[in-house]
Amino acid sequence: INAEYGTLRCMSNYVYALGAGFMAAFAGVCGKLAADDAQLAAVTDDERLRAALRLVAFASVFASNAAMWHLFVRSLHASNSVTAATINSCLNLIFTALFGRFAFGEPLAPRWWAGAACIGAGLALILHGSTTIVDAATKNVDVDNKKDN
């Protein structure tokens, strides 16, 4: 049963980090809607409705950030800080790109994809390095000499 708990705890880390990354990207969408009148003008010509939508979007920035921090802290409790921050950052990048592309029609040039791939690779290296050190620490292994103490 202990192995099951460890697996569930690991999965909850990913779910919380995924939610945190999504909410961070969604906060950016809400911020863009709150600040960019051209986005709201495409929705409606009614000035009062645009003002109400801007207010809702502005409030949603704070609500989304609060939800993101809640999920991120839960992710931190479910794993180590490097894992939580790495997964959150990578998913935030992906969700931001998807929101930009599909909600606002922003192009994603090959240079953007190359940059995102470099960032993702760097985050993967950070994550792999941190898990090696954590595994070594839990097994009391000298990472430099690769032998048990």
Side-chain angles (χ1 to χ4, degrees):
I1 217 153
N2 215 6
E4 263 182 46
Y5 176 74
T7 302
L8 288 175
R9 185 177 170 118
C10 181
M11 289 301 294
S12 68
N13 168 46
Y14 294 120
V15 171
Y16 292 137
L18 182 133
F22 178 84
M23 293 310 293
F26 186 70
V29 170
C30 294
K32 186 167 186 160
L33 289 174
D36 190 1
D37 193 50
Q39 299 296 331
L40 293 176
V43 174
T44 182
D45 291 333
D46 185 10
E47 191 62 37
R48 280 195 255 198
L49 183 56
R50 279 201 314 245
L53 289 172
R54 184 174 291 112
L55 184 62
V56 168
F58 188 71
S60 295
V61 170
F62 291 102
S64 299
N65 275 311
M68 183 275 298
W69 278 110
H70 171 75
L71 292 167
F72 184 65
V73 168
R74 296 288 302 259
S75 179
L76 288 172
H77 286 292
S79 71
N80 65 54
S81 61
V82 174
T83 301
T86 302
I87 294 169
N88 181 28
S89 298
C90 190
L91 291 172
N92 184 1
L93 177 72
I94 291 167
F95 285 129
T96 300
L98 293 175
F99 277 135
R101 177 73 181 121
F102 295 112
F104 302 112
E106 297 173 353
L108 296 174
R111 181 182 285 183
W112 184 92
W113 288 107
C118 288
I119 292 169
L123 291 172
L125 289 172
I126 291 170
L127 184 59
H128 176 70
S130 74
T131 56
T132 302
I133 291 171
V134 169
D135 288 345
T138 58
K139 294 175 185 171
N140 199 18
V141 174
D142 184 359
V143 177
D144 296 325
N145 295 326
K146 304 278 191 216
K147 55 185 171 180
D148 291 332
N149 289 332

